Amino acid sequence: MATKKKRAPSAPSDSWVVIAADSAVDPKRRDADPCFVKLKNPRTDTASLYMFGSGDTQLYEVKAFEEDFHSWFIGQTVQHDGRLLFITPLDPLYLLLPYLLHAGKEKFQPLDQLLVDENFPACSRLLSCPCSVQHLAEEKEVGSRKFYRYSQERTLDWLKKKVDRTVVALKKKNISVGEGVKSATYIKVKTESNCREEDYLRYAHGLISEYLSEDLSNALLKHLNLPELTSPKESEPPSKKRKLSDKPVEAGEDYTKFNSADFVRKPPKKMTAAQKTLAKVDKSGMKTMSSFFSPKVKK
Amino acid sequence: MDLGPFEVNNSVSCRLSSQIPSLCLEQDCCLGIDEAGRGPVLGPMVYGICFCPVSKKENLKEMKVADSKTLTEAERENLFEKLDEAKSFIGWALQILSPNTISTSMLQRSKYNLNALSHDTAIGLVQFALDSGVQVKEIFVDTVGPAEKYEEKLSKLFPGITVTVRPKADSLFPVVSAASICAKVARDRVVKGWNFAEELGEVDTDYGSGYPNDPKTKAWLLKYLDPVFGYPQFVRFSWSTAQTLMENKSAAVHWDDDEEGGEKGAQRLNNKSMLSYFSSASGAAQSQTAAHRFFSDRRLKNIDTL
């Protein structure tokens, strides 16, 4: 096989493969062409790509599927990147939230004053998306103008609802949330009837946190009454030397159960996919691994 | 010889065979195996078997069959006609391994090398003869790889049959010569009348012998190299001649089972150095910025430019 070829750095291509919600394109309104914009990502504070559709009344986020060794054949052309863009509706409140938070709890302000950002001038277009800011803030009406002040309490209640809804969606879509299933193939080893409610909550919290600052994510974790996960540092394996205790040594498990008859009746284990492919390899002319360890035969 | 079944779809392997002479069903038979087109970068590899009753060996000798390499194309065609006419006691069968079959076998994830492919094809043809009721008692084969090992392998597979594996068997045993003539004639005909599945328009058929060292073949390979697709299915992609040309002249294609140098490969894949796992501080910092596993599992990420 060809080896050590230099990979060209992925050059920006002039076409993309996109899966978008139908609502993103409104064929009846020519002025409502969807438009990609850079906005502040609420989690990282850096620029991410979003899209306004239907004359700025609907916000979408852009996610890219990107994996090594993929390319597209499009019509009679080849596209180097195998990237697939997903354009999915996003609640504009997530993007409004950092601006409200930033303004603080001091005074009430009108939204158009809050949404000023020289790094992301397009953020003022969020104003034309219909959304209920009172989920995040207290509202005051003076004359015809509305003024808002960030409320952590309201925000956390709103986020909790989001988490609950996400849990419902996760269950409906049958998404594996347990810690044990991290297989890239998404094939569940066993049906997850033993999946705990907490696993769903934690998973949903993690998903929602993709749209929150770290501080807010932690606050939400507390609000949901989920204990913080122990950091890997604390779960490090104990050092080899254990202190001897005075207590008598006892078996931690009942090993006798393996002697029972039904243990014998267990069907032979099926091979995993990896073992199967290994078994298929052309092994002609290969030495077995064990042959390298056996003592040399004197001739 | 009707090549029709192969020409219908020349991207796969195909078996052609003569009628089984009734004499071969009753009497002890000898069977010869040989192949044509092992070395060329173009066209199929053809495996042939020829069989006849042991008692008719002399008749075969009288037909002056000889190693196909020592004969001209016209002589081979002539001899094949004679063999085909002697259908009362001579039978043959062929397995045409298309260049595409060879490419895909040798280049698949779990490599299937040419020797293994050859052995399996030969075994398949012998089994075909046995399944058809031919009373095979002796097998003569030109060797592929070490003769002793091959002989042992075949003897084990076909107990009760005397297997003789010899280098240059095609010049030693008339029945192997006959098989080699059948194989060679089939290969020549297939190569001459190759139906290109690709839309290449009027194809220049002046590709010489098809062997990698033939200047005509090389010139043809250069002419028909496509920067994206490489070659038509007529070319064996697994041959280093074809690979070197593709590497130098066409767009680089990367597969996820490419063997890359350890360090470089790791860098490209953005792998973490083993050492990084031992410093706990950086690990904790990274987990904060990593996307949730719903997204990372699905290889989904935010982008900032199109």
Side-chain angles (χ1 to χ4, degrees):
Chain A
M1 260 322 289
T3 55
K4 288 180 192 166
K5 275 180 275 188
K6 272 185 199 157
R7 279 194 112 190
S10 44
S13 42
D14 50 5
S15 61
W16 339 283
V17 185
V18 173
I19 293 182
D22 283 337
S23 62
V25 189
D26 190 346
K28 283 174 224 137
R29 292 176 53 186
R30 301 213 71 194
D31 61 319
D33 276 346
C35 171
F36 286 108
V37 286
K38 272 188 204 178
L39 294 171
K40 182 153 88 176
N41 184 308
R43 185 170 74 105
T44 60
D45 272 358
T46 55
S48 281
L49 206 61
Y50 297 88
M51 200 183 87
F52 282 114
S54 317
D56 287 9
T57 57
Q58 179 57 264
L59 176 72
Y60 301 87
E61 74 168 327
V62 182
K63 287 261 186 202
F65 166 84
E66 247 177 336
E67 200 171 38
D68 270 334
F69 311 111
H70 285 70
S71 294
W72 289 108
F73 281 105
I74 305 168
Q76 292 299 310
T77 62
V78 180
Q79 189 166 312
H80 168 267
D81 72 3
R83 200 164 69 161
L84 177 58
L85 300 182
F86 290 91
I87 295 177
T88 48
L90 179 66
D91 190 332
L93 287 183
Y94 288 113
L95 297 197
L96 278 172
L97 188 48
Y99 292 101
L100 271 164
L101 245 170
H102 183 71
K105 298 168 194 169
E106 298 307 310
K107 53 180 180 182
F108 284 86
Q109 278 180 309
L111 273 186
D112 50 357
Q113 271 178 34
L114 284 169
L115 284 171
V116 178
D117 188 339
E118 57 180 12
N119 295 323
F120 302 103
C123 74
S124 59
R125 290 167 73 173
L126 286 169
L127 285 173
S128 43
C129 297
C131 55
S132 324
V133 190
Q134 56 272 30
H135 287 312
L136 313 176
E138 290 160 57
E139 193 183 61
K140 249 188 199 175
E141 223 171 320
V142 179
S144 59
R145 247 170 116 68
K146 283 179 179 169
F147 295 76
Y148 295 96
R149 187 171 72 177
Y150 173 68
S151 155
Q152 175 106 347
E153 206 189 330
R154 287 188 178 208
T155 303
L156 289 177
D157 282 341
W158 173 70
L159 287 172
K160 187 177 183 309
K161 278 181 205 150
K162 289 280 189 193
V163 168
D164 291 340
R165 281 188 179 191
T166 308
V167 167
V168 173
L170 288 172
K171 286 179 177 167
K172 204 169 148 194
K173 295 275 177 196
N174 216 3
I175 285 168
S176 310
V177 297
E179 280 298 316
V181 276
K182 283 191 173 175
S183 152
T185 49
Y186 312 124
I187 295 167
K188 283 189 235 171
V189 183
K190 51 187 172 190
T191 49
E192 279 186 87
S193 53
N194 53 352
C195 210
R196 293 171 306 157
E197 196 64 24
E198 188 194 321
D199 289 334
Y200 277 107
L201 268 180
R202 204 176 278 286
Y203 195 96
H205 167 263
L207 262 180
I208 297 293
S209 296
E210 282 287 306
Y211 304 91
L212 304 175
S213 68
E214 201 187 322
D215 288 345
L216 207 52
S217 165
N218 291 335
L220 178 60
L221 200 63
K222 285 202 189 88
H223 190 70
L224 292 168
N225 288 322
L226 283 171
E228 270 193 62
L229 277 182
T230 47
S231 73
K233 235 183 185 175
E234 290 163 51
S235 62
E236 261 177 52
S239 54
K240 270 188 180 173
K241 277 189 183 173
R242 277 201 205 180
K243 278 185 186 169
L244 290 171
S245 71
D246 301 333
K247 287 175 187 166
V249 182
E250 266 179 55
E253 273 179 72
D254 178 14
Y255 294 107
T256 54
K257 67 184 174 196
F258 294 117
N259 296 335
S260 62
D262 37 3
F263 181 62
V264 187
R265 257 186 270 134
K266 259 191 182 173
K269 268 188 186 168
K270 274 184 189 167
M271 285 202 284
T272 65
Q275 284 172 320
K276 273 182 200 161
T277 41
L278 268 179
K280 274 186 226 155
V281 170
D282 181 4
K283 287 189 274 288
S284 54
M286 284 187 194
K287 279 190 184 177
T288 64
M289 189 69 91
S290 55
S291 73
F292 289 96
F293 297 99
S294 53
K296 271 185 186 166
V297 184
K298 280 178 192 168
K299 279 182 184 169
Chain B
M1 193 191 307
D2 175 22
L3 293 170
F6 178 68
E7 276 162 358
V8 169
N9 178 4
N10 62 21
S11 63
V12 295
S13 175
C14 172
R15 176 179 296 147
L16 306 173
S17 64
S18 70
Q19 282 252 318
I20 308 291
S22 50
L23 220 52
C24 293
L25 303 174
E26 294 149 14
Q27 296 186 23
D28 286 356
C29 288
C30 58
L31 184 147
I33 312 175
D34 201 14
E35 115 276 303
R38 191 176 168 77
V41 60
L42 301 179
M45 178 161 88
V46 181
Y47 253 84
I49 58 166
C50 216
F51 45 87
C52 72
V54 178
S55 59
K56 296 277 185 184
K57 262 187 185 170
E58 285 309 307
N59 300 47
L60 208 56
K61 247 183 206 166
E62 280 160 24
M63 290 166 77
K64 294 205 175 71
V65 289
D67 174 9
S68 66
K69 286 179 207 92
T70 64
L71 305 169
T72 65
E73 195 178 336
E75 285 172 318
R76 281 196 302 263
E77 286 283 345
N78 205 357
L79 277 169
F80 178 74
E81 290 308 316
K82 275 197 196 164
L83 287 170
D84 212 29
E85 275 164 28
K87 53 164 103 33
S88 62
F89 65 98
I90 297 176
W92 54 264
L94 299 168
Q95 191 76 32
I96 305 177
L97 297 169
S98 71
N100 188 49
T101 305
I102 297 168
S103 303
T104 50
S105 299
M106 292 173 74
L107 295 176
Q108 66 185 317
R109 260 163 207 270
S110 48
K111 306 285 176 268
Y112 183 30
N113 68 42
L114 196 65
N115 278 4
L117 184 64
S118 299
H119 286 186
D120 291 348
T121 308
I123 291 161
L125 281 169
V126 173
Q127 194 60 52
F128 165 76
L130 292 173
D131 292 347
S132 309
V134 179
Q135 298 297 309
V136 182
K137 288 291 171 303
E138 303 166 1
I139 295 177
F140 300 92
V141 200
D142 202 345
T143 191
V144 171
E148 282 168 33
K149 269 196 170 173
Y150 193 19
E151 194 169 289
E152 198 189 312
K153 183 176 177 181
L154 290 174
S155 302
K156 261 189 194 159
L157 272 167
F158 303 110
I161 299 177
T162 328
V163 181
T164 312
V165 179
R166 285 290 148 73
K168 301 210 175 76
D170 49 353
S171 53
L172 296 172
F173 311 105
V175 73
V176 180
S177 309
S180 96
I181 288 165
C182 295
K184 183 74 177 150
V185 165
R187 175 170 151 92
D188 284 348
R189 290 189 188 175
V190 167
V191 168
K192 243 184 205 168
W194 187 263
N195 286 323
F196 286 87
E198 299 79 10
E199 287 175 26
L200 296 173
E202 194 74 15
V203 183
D204 173 11
T205 51
D206 191 17
Y207 29 69
S209 65
Y211 277 87
N213 55 7
D214 185 333
K216 269 189 175 173
T217 304
K218 269 208 151 160
W220 190 88
L221 283 173
L222 266 175
K223 185 174 170 186
Y224 282 95
L225 179 60
D226 182 279
V228 172
F229 297 100
Y231 288 110
Q233 282 188 4
F234 185 49
V235 177
R236 302 182 189 171
F237 282 62
S238 45
W239 255 238
S240 63
T241 321
Q243 284 183 352
T244 314
L245 283 171
M246 284 195 291
E247 246 172 76
N248 296 333
K249 309 262 178 197
S250 54
V253 178
H254 303 271
W255 302 93
D256 67 356
D257 60 344
D258 279 353
E259 287 156 29
E260 284 180 285
E263 193 70 8
K264 270 188 188 167
Q267 225 174 41
R268 194 192 51 68
L269 292 169
N270 241 335
N271 277 352
K272 277 194 267 179
S273 133
M274 187 68 96
L275 287 171
S276 72
Y277 290 100
F278 295 101
S279 58
S280 49
S282 66
Q286 256 192 341
S287 70
Q288 286 297 341
T289 51
H292 186 255
R293 77 174 208 254
F294 177 84
F295 293 115
S296 58
D297 281 355
R298 288 162 179 77
R299 304 283 184 272
L300 287 171
K301 55 185 179 192
N302 285 105
I303 49 172
D304 58 359
T305 41
L306 277 177

PDB file of all heavy atoms in Angstrom, chain B residues 157-181:
ATOM      1  N   LEU B 157      -5.715 -32.073   1.316  1.00  0.00           N
ATOM      2  CA  LEU B 157      -7.059 -31.689   0.911  1.00  0.00           C
ATOM      3  C   LEU B 157      -7.733 -32.767   0.075  1.00  0.00           C
ATOM      4  O   LEU B 157      -8.947 -32.932   0.118  1.00  0.00           O
ATOM      5  CB  LEU B 157      -6.991 -30.397   0.088  1.00  0.00           C
ATOM      6  CG  LEU B 157      -7.042 -29.114   0.891  1.00  0.00           C
ATOM      7  CD1 LEU B 157      -6.644 -27.934   0.008  1.00  0.00           C
ATOM      8  CD2 LEU B 157      -8.438 -28.889   1.459  1.00  0.00           C
ATOM      9  N   PHE B 158      -6.928 -33.484  -0.707  1.00  0.00           N
ATOM     10  CA  PHE B 158      -7.492 -34.501  -1.591  1.00  0.00           C
ATOM     11  C   PHE B 158      -6.896 -35.863  -1.274  1.00  0.00           C
ATOM     12  O   PHE B 158      -6.053 -36.356  -2.027  1.00  0.00           O
ATOM     13  CB  PHE B 158      -7.261 -34.116  -3.055  1.00  0.00           C
ATOM     14  CG  PHE B 158      -7.823 -32.774  -3.415  1.00  0.00           C
ATOM     15  CD1 PHE B 158      -6.995 -31.703  -3.688  1.00  0.00           C
ATOM     16  CD2 PHE B 158      -9.205 -32.572  -3.454  1.00  0.00           C
ATOM     17  CE1 PHE B 158      -7.517 -30.463  -4.003  1.00  0.00           C
ATOM     18  CE2 PHE B 158      -9.731 -31.334  -3.771  1.00  0.00           C
ATOM     19  CZ  PHE B 158      -8.891 -30.269  -4.043  1.00  0.00           C
ATOM     20  N   PRO B 159      -7.306 -36.467  -0.158  1.00  0.00           N
ATOM     21  CA  PRO B 159      -6.759 -37.771   0.215  1.00  0.00           C
ATOM     22  C   PRO B 159      -7.118 -38.808  -0.846  1.00  0.00           C
ATOM     23  O   PRO B 159      -8.190 -38.757  -1.448  1.00  0.00           O
ATOM     24  CB  PRO B 159      -7.424 -38.075   1.555  1.00  0.00           C
ATOM     25  CG  PRO B 159      -8.631 -37.217   1.601  1.00  0.00           C
ATOM     26  CD  PRO B 159      -8.332 -36.010   0.781  1.00  0.00           C
ATOM     27  N   GLY B 160      -6.191 -39.718  -1.112  1.00  0.00           N
ATOM     28  CA  GLY B 160      -6.451 -40.754  -2.106  1.00  0.00           C
ATOM     29  C   GLY B 160      -6.009 -40.357  -3.498  1.00  0.00           C
ATOM     30  O   GLY B 160      -6.109 -41.152  -4.423  1.00  0.00           O
ATOM     31  N   ILE B 161      -5.529 -39.134  -3.644  1.00  0.00           N
ATOM     32  CA  ILE B 161      -5.056 -38.701  -4.954  1.00  0.00           C
ATOM     33  C   ILE B 161      -3.549 -38.422  -4.848  1.00  0.00           C
ATOM     34  O   ILE B 161      -3.106 -37.801  -3.882  1.00  0.00           O
ATOM     35  CB  ILE B 161      -5.784 -37.418  -5.426  1.00  0.00           C
ATOM     36  CG1 ILE B 161      -7.286 -37.683  -5.543  1.00  0.00           C
ATOM     37  CG2 ILE B 161      -5.217 -36.925  -6.752  1.00  0.00           C
ATOM     38  CD1 ILE B 161      -8.107 -36.484  -5.933  1.00  0.00           C
ATOM     39  N   THR B 162      -2.800 -38.920  -5.814  1.00  0.00           N
ATOM     40  CA  THR B 162      -1.359 -38.665  -5.822  1.00  0.00           C
ATOM     41  C   THR B 162      -1.118 -37.280  -6.382  1.00  0.00           C
ATOM     42  O   THR B 162      -1.492 -36.987  -7.523  1.00  0.00           O
ATOM     43  CB  THR B 162      -0.626 -39.679  -6.725  1.00  0.00           C
ATOM     44  OG1 THR B 162      -1.328 -40.922  -6.689  1.00  0.00           O
ATOM     45  CG2 THR B 162       0.806 -39.863  -6.294  1.00  0.00           C
ATOM     46  N   VAL B 163      -0.507 -36.410  -5.584  1.00  0.00           N
ATOM     47  CA  VAL B 163      -0.259 -35.044  -6.030  1.00  0.00           C
ATOM     48  C   VAL B 163       1.225 -34.865  -6.310  1.00  0.00           C
ATOM     49  O   VAL B 163       2.064 -35.210  -5.489  1.00  0.00           O
ATOM     50  CB  VAL B 163      -0.718 -34.026  -4.972  1.00  0.00           C
ATOM     51  CG1 VAL B 163      -0.461 -32.601  -5.465  1.00  0.00           C
ATOM     52  CG2 VAL B 163      -2.184 -34.215  -4.634  1.00  0.00           C
ATOM     53  N   THR B 164       1.537 -34.346  -7.492  1.00  0.00           N
ATOM     54  CA  THR B 164       2.923 -34.075  -7.845  1.00  0.00           C
ATOM     55  C   THR B 164       3.056 -32.587  -8.151  1.00  0.00           C
ATOM     56  O   THR B 164       2.458 -32.089  -9.103  1.00  0.00           O
ATOM     57  CB  THR B 164       3.331 -34.879  -9.098  1.00  0.00           C
ATOM     58  OG1 THR B 164       2.920 -36.231  -8.923  1.00  0.00           O
ATOM     59  CG2 THR B 164       4.832 -34.813  -9.311  1.00  0.00           C
ATOM     60  N   VAL B 165       3.803 -31.887  -7.311  1.00  0.00           N
ATOM     61  CA  VAL B 165       4.051 -30.470  -7.564  1.00  0.00           C
ATOM     62  C   VAL B 165       5.497 -30.312  -7.997  1.00  0.00           C
ATOM     63  O   VAL B 165       6.412 -30.735  -7.292  1.00  0.00           O
ATOM     64  CB  VAL B 165       3.776 -29.624  -6.300  1.00  0.00           C
ATOM     65  CG1 VAL B 165       4.059 -28.159  -6.578  1.00  0.00           C
ATOM     66  CG2 VAL B 165       2.344 -29.809  -5.826  1.00  0.00           C
ATOM     67  N   ARG B 166       5.717 -29.765  -9.167  1.00  0.00           N
ATOM     68  CA  ARG B 166       7.080 -29.594  -9.694  1.00  0.00           C
ATOM     69  C   ARG B 166       7.203 -28.219 -10.320  1.00  0.00           C
ATOM     70  O   ARG B 166       6.270 -27.771 -11.001  1.00  0.00           O
ATOM     71  CB  ARG B 166       7.361 -30.616 -10.804  1.00  0.00           C
ATOM     72  CG  ARG B 166       7.613 -32.021 -10.400  1.00  0.00           C
ATOM     73  CD  ARG B 166       8.947 -32.206  -9.689  1.00  0.00           C
ATOM     74  NE  ARG B 166       8.803 -33.268  -8.718  1.00  0.00           N
ATOM     75  CZ  ARG B 166       8.710 -34.564  -9.031  1.00  0.00           C
ATOM     76  NH1 ARG B 166       8.799 -34.926 -10.284  1.00  0.00           N
ATOM     77  NH2 ARG B 166       8.545 -35.460  -8.102  1.00  0.00           N
ATOM     78  N   PRO B 167       8.365 -27.586 -10.123  1.00  0.00           N
ATOM     79  CA  PRO B 167       8.598 -26.403 -10.950  1.00  0.00           C
ATOM     80  C   PRO B 167       8.737 -26.847 -12.407  1.00  0.00           C
ATOM     81  O   PRO B 167       9.215 -27.959 -12.671  1.00  0.00           O
ATOM     82  CB  PRO B 167       9.910 -25.832 -10.416  1.00  0.00           C
ATOM     83  CG  PRO B 167      10.420 -26.770  -9.383  1.00  0.00           C
ATOM     84  CD  PRO B 167       9.469 -27.901  -9.225  1.00  0.00           C
ATOM     85  N   LYS B 168       8.308 -26.036 -13.316  1.00  0.00           N
ATOM     86  CA  LYS B 168       8.323 -26.345 -14.765  1.00  0.00           C
ATOM     87  C   LYS B 168       7.507 -27.591 -15.114  1.00  0.00           C
ATOM     88  O   LYS B 168       7.824 -28.301 -16.064  1.00  0.00           O
ATOM     89  CB  LYS B 168       9.759 -26.535 -15.262  1.00  0.00           C
ATOM     90  CG  LYS B 168      10.644 -25.305 -15.035  1.00  0.00           C
ATOM     91  CD  LYS B 168      11.723 -25.216 -16.116  1.00  0.00           C
ATOM     92  CE  LYS B 168      12.529 -23.953 -15.974  1.00  0.00           C
ATOM     93  NZ  LYS B 168      13.500 -24.032 -14.864  1.00  0.00           N
ATOM     94  N   ALA B 169       6.485 -27.852 -14.347  1.00  0.00           N
ATOM     95  CA  ALA B 169       5.659 -29.025 -14.629  1.00  0.00           C
ATOM     96  C   ALA B 169       5.055 -28.946 -16.028  1.00  0.00           C
ATOM     97  O   ALA B 169       4.782 -29.975 -16.642  1.00  0.00           O
ATOM     98  CB  ALA B 169       4.546 -29.147 -13.580  1.00  0.00           C
ATOM     99  N   ASP B 170       4.855 -27.710 -16.522  1.00  0.00           N
ATOM    100  CA  ASP B 170       4.214 -27.561 -17.833  1.00  0.00           C
ATOM    101  C   ASP B 170       5.069 -28.113 -18.974  1.00  0.00           C
ATOM    102  O   ASP B 170       4.563 -28.384 -20.054  1.00  0.00           O
ATOM    103  CB  ASP B 170       3.820 -26.102 -18.108  1.00  0.00           C
ATOM    104  CG  ASP B 170       4.970 -25.141 -17.835  1.00  0.00           C
ATOM    105  OD1 ASP B 170       6.004 -25.597 -17.314  1.00  0.00           O
ATOM    106  OD2 ASP B 170       4.815 -23.953 -18.149  1.00  0.00           O
ATOM    107  N   SER B 171       6.399 -28.271 -18.736  1.00  0.00           N
ATOM    108  CA  SER B 171       7.208 -28.887 -19.785  1.00  0.00           C
ATOM    109  C   SER B 171       7.493 -30.358 -19.497  1.00  0.00           C
ATOM    110  O   SER B 171       8.052 -31.066 -20.320  1.00  0.00           O
ATOM    111  CB  SER B 171       8.507 -28.104 -19.970  1.00  0.00           C
ATOM    112  OG  SER B 171       9.161 -27.979 -18.735  1.00  0.00           O
ATOM    113  N   LEU B 172       7.128 -30.803 -18.279  1.00  0.00           N
ATOM    114  CA  LEU B 172       7.398 -32.193 -17.890  1.00  0.00           C
ATOM    115  C   LEU B 172       6.227 -33.122 -18.150  1.00  0.00           C
ATOM    116  O   LEU B 172       6.404 -34.275 -18.536  1.00  0.00           O
ATOM    117  CB  LEU B 172       7.774 -32.258 -16.406  1.00  0.00           C
ATOM    118  CG  LEU B 172       9.058 -31.542 -15.978  1.00  0.00           C
ATOM    119  CD1 LEU B 172       9.184 -31.531 -14.464  1.00  0.00           C
ATOM    120  CD2 LEU B 172      10.273 -32.219 -16.608  1.00  0.00           C
ATOM    121  N   PHE B 173       5.023 -32.629 -17.901  1.00  0.00           N
ATOM    122  CA  PHE B 173       3.836 -33.492 -18.005  1.00  0.00           C
ATOM    123  C   PHE B 173       2.894 -32.958 -19.070  1.00  0.00           C
ATOM    124  O   PHE B 173       2.453 -31.808 -18.982  1.00  0.00           O
ATOM    125  CB  PHE B 173       3.112 -33.554 -16.663  1.00  0.00           C
ATOM    126  CG  PHE B 173       4.014 -33.853 -15.502  1.00  0.00           C
ATOM    127  CD1 PHE B 173       4.374 -32.856 -14.607  1.00  0.00           C
ATOM    128  CD2 PHE B 173       4.512 -35.140 -15.306  1.00  0.00           C
ATOM    129  CE1 PHE B 173       5.212 -33.122 -13.541  1.00  0.00           C
ATOM    130  CE2 PHE B 173       5.356 -35.412 -14.236  1.00  0.00           C
ATOM    131  CZ  PHE B 173       5.709 -34.407 -13.352  1.00  0.00           C
ATOM    132  N   PRO B 174       2.571 -33.761 -20.074  1.00  0.00           N
ATOM    133  CA  PRO B 174       1.687 -33.301 -21.155  1.00  0.00           C
ATOM    134  C   PRO B 174       0.353 -32.765 -20.643  1.00  0.00           C
ATOM    135  O   PRO B 174      -0.173 -31.789 -21.192  1.00  0.00           O
ATOM    136  CB  PRO B 174       1.471 -34.554 -21.995  1.00  0.00           C
ATOM    137  CG  PRO B 174       2.658 -35.413 -21.712  1.00  0.00           C
ATOM    138  CD  PRO B 174       3.070 -35.121 -20.312  1.00  0.00           C
ATOM    139  N   VAL B 175      -0.185 -33.365 -19.578  1.00  0.00           N
ATOM    140  CA  VAL B 175      -1.502 -32.932 -19.105  1.00  0.00           C
ATOM    141  C   VAL B 175      -1.428 -31.517 -18.525  1.00  0.00           C
ATOM    142  O   VAL B 175      -2.389 -30.738 -18.597  1.00  0.00           O
ATOM    143  CB  VAL B 175      -2.097 -33.959 -18.103  1.00  0.00           C
ATOM    144  CG1 VAL B 175      -1.405 -33.905 -16.758  1.00  0.00           C
ATOM    145  CG2 VAL B 175      -3.595 -33.764 -17.947  1.00  0.00           C
ATOM    146  N   VAL B 176      -0.249 -31.155 -17.959  1.00  0.00           N
ATOM    147  CA  VAL B 176      -0.070 -29.782 -17.465  1.00  0.00           C
ATOM    148  C   VAL B 176       0.109 -28.834 -18.655  1.00  0.00           C
ATOM    149  O   VAL B 176      -0.433 -27.728 -18.666  1.00  0.00           O
ATOM    150  CB  VAL B 176       1.132 -29.695 -16.502  1.00  0.00           C
ATOM    151  CG1 VAL B 176       1.311 -28.262 -15.997  1.00  0.00           C
ATOM    152  CG2 VAL B 176       0.940 -30.635 -15.326  1.00  0.00           C
ATOM    153  N   SER B 177       0.866 -29.308 -19.670  1.00  0.00           N
ATOM    154  CA  SER B 177       1.018 -28.494 -20.884  1.00  0.00           C
ATOM    155  C   SER B 177      -0.342 -28.184 -21.484  1.00  0.00           C
ATOM    156  O   SER B 177      -0.616 -27.030 -21.875  1.00  0.00           O
ATOM    157  CB  SER B 177       1.847 -29.246 -21.933  1.00  0.00           C
ATOM    158  OG  SER B 177       3.032 -29.730 -21.383  1.00  0.00           O
ATOM    159  N   ALA B 178      -1.192 -29.176 -21.534  1.00  0.00           N
ATOM    160  CA  ALA B 178      -2.543 -28.981 -22.081  1.00  0.00           C
ATOM    161  C   ALA B 178      -3.297 -27.940 -21.280  1.00  0.00           C
ATOM    162  O   ALA B 178      -3.937 -27.034 -21.846  1.00  0.00           O
ATOM    163  CB  ALA B 178      -3.292 -30.311 -22.082  1.00  0.00           C
ATOM    164  N   ALA B 179      -3.191 -28.038 -19.939  1.00  0.00           N
ATOM    165  CA  ALA B 179      -3.871 -27.060 -19.083  1.00  0.00           C
ATOM    166  C   ALA B 179      -3.318 -25.673 -19.336  1.00  0.00           C
ATOM    167  O   ALA B 179      -4.062 -24.688 -19.386  1.00  0.00           O
ATOM    168  CB  ALA B 179      -3.703 -27.445 -17.612  1.00  0.00           C
ATOM    169  N   SER B 180      -1.990 -25.591 -19.521  1.00  0.00           N
ATOM    170  CA  SER B 180      -1.375 -24.281 -19.726  1.00  0.00           C
ATOM    171  C   SER B 180      -1.818 -23.685 -21.046  1.00  0.00           C
ATOM    172  O   SER B 180      -1.998 -22.462 -21.152  1.00  0.00           O
ATOM    173  CB  SER B 180       0.145 -24.383 -19.616  1.00  0.00           C
ATOM    174  OG  SER B 180       0.746 -24.512 -20.883  1.00  0.00           O
ATOM    175  N   ILE B 181      -2.022 -24.538 -22.062  1.00  0.00           N
ATOM    176  CA  ILE B 181      -2.499 -24.034 -23.359  1.00  0.00           C
ATOM    177  C   ILE B 181      -3.915 -23.471 -23.230  1.00  0.00           C
ATOM    178  O   ILE B 181      -4.205 -22.367 -23.696  1.00  0.00           O
ATOM    179  CB  ILE B 181      -2.431 -25.142 -24.429  1.00  0.00           C
ATOM    180  CG1 ILE B 181      -0.966 -25.387 -24.798  1.00  0.00           C
ATOM    181  CG2 ILE B 181      -3.234 -24.762 -25.668  1.00  0.00           C
ATOM    182  CD1 ILE B 181      -0.740 -26.667 -25.560  1.00  0.00           C
TER     183      ILE B 181
END
